[in-house]
Amino acid sequence: MKNVYKRINRGLVLAGVLLVAFVIYVIADTMQFRKTKPLLKDMAADYMQALCEINVTPEAYRSLEELEKQPEYVKSLQDNLTGLLNQHWQSVDSTRDHMTYYYGMNRSEVEDGYSSTLKDTAGAYGYITKMTSALNPAECSVTKCGVNTAQVIVSFDCVVQYVGNPCWFTPAYTYNLFEIGGGAGYGSHVMMDTENPKETDVQERSSDLLSTSIRVTYEFTYQLVDGQWKIIYVDDYGWGESSTVIVSGEGGEA
């Protein structure tokens, strides 16, 4: 009977030690993650800012020609986007992880989207002269969502100045600025074909410099890889209402 009590006592002591160790681990992990939160928020902001800089068209390529007619610029964009992905992303292609983040896009999906856009750029023309992104602290959250994994939801107030209908490479998808910038109807008109009476939409290639203000929101999933936090998935939450104004009628720098 004494042996039974001894075994029970030893079991209770061992369970108590394990419980204390677990509590200490949880407290230490929570405190460490609190210190990590500002870092992850800053990393998301830095990533968005770097992407903004890539989107700004170098002066040598600022024209109203379609992007497909500027192969050197397309190659430069591809190289810069790939370099950015190499720096900030970790490839995660397993089926299990993709099921976990069903609505997100992994690196290969983002890269494929960029490449597809750059291969088929008919209708994309013009250039971007300036792009800024300011983190909106009121719409920012960082939460732990697994072992060495965190979810970062951030909103950015973006201002883009551009001419024509250039591509905007975002953290997830690629858009045409004229189409999302609230420019519906601007630079377009409906003409009547006298021989074949039907309405035809025609978009004129205006040289006006436009400025679009827009709020965009993304969900980044970060994972600690070899001591560094890397993006493994991103989800696009869409954009809020945008507003577009004419900055200059000559298409130059504001």
Side-chain angles (χ1 to χ4, degrees), residues 44 47-55 77 81 84-85 89 105-107 109-111 113-115 117 128 131 133 156 158 160 166-177 180 214-220 231 234-239:
Y47 180 72
M48 187 65 174
Q49 181 57 38
L51 198 50
C52 285
E53 293 172 4
I54 289 175
N55 274 289
L77 272 173
L81 290 168
L84 186 69
L85 294 174
W89 280 77
M105 300 172 65
N106 60 27
R107 173 188 166 146
E109 290 168 324
V110 173
E111 192 165 29
Y114 289 164
S115 297
T117 297
I128 297 173
M131 180 178 286
S133 64
F156 299 98
C158 297
V160 193
C167 290
W168 176 11
F169 295 91
T170 80
Y173 300 102
T174 307
Y175 300 106
N176 287 87
L177 274 165
I180 72 167
I214 189 169
R215 177 170 295 177
V216 293
T217 305
Y218 300 97
E219 175 188 298
F220 295 96
I231 302 169
V234 64
D235 195 4
D236 186 344
Y237 280 20
W239 59 85

Side-chain angles (χ1 to χ4, degrees), residues 5-27:
Y5 283 126
K6 285 183 179 179
R7 290 195 188 115
I8 293 174
N9 290 335
R10 287 175 183 172
L12 290 173
V13 171
L14 179 59
V17 170
L18 291 175
L19 179 60
V20 170
F22 176 73
V23 171
I24 292 174
Y25 168 78
V26 171
I27 293 173

Side-chain angles (χ1 to χ4, degrees), residues 26-68:
V26 171
I27 293 173
D29 187 57
T30 301
M31 292 178 64
Q32 181 59 40
F33 187 69
R34 284 179 182 173
K35 296 178 181 179
T36 304
K37 282 185 175 184
L39 170 65
L40 293 174
K41 183 178 67 175
D42 290 344
M43 289 179 68
D46 290 344
Y47 180 72
M48 187 65 174
Q49 181 57 38
L51 198 50
C52 285
E53 293 172 4
I54 289 175
N55 274 289
V56 174
T57 309
E59 290 189 15
Y61 301 112
R62 293 182 181 180
S63 74
L64 283 173
E65 282 192 321
E66 290 187 344
L67 198 57
E68 64 182 1

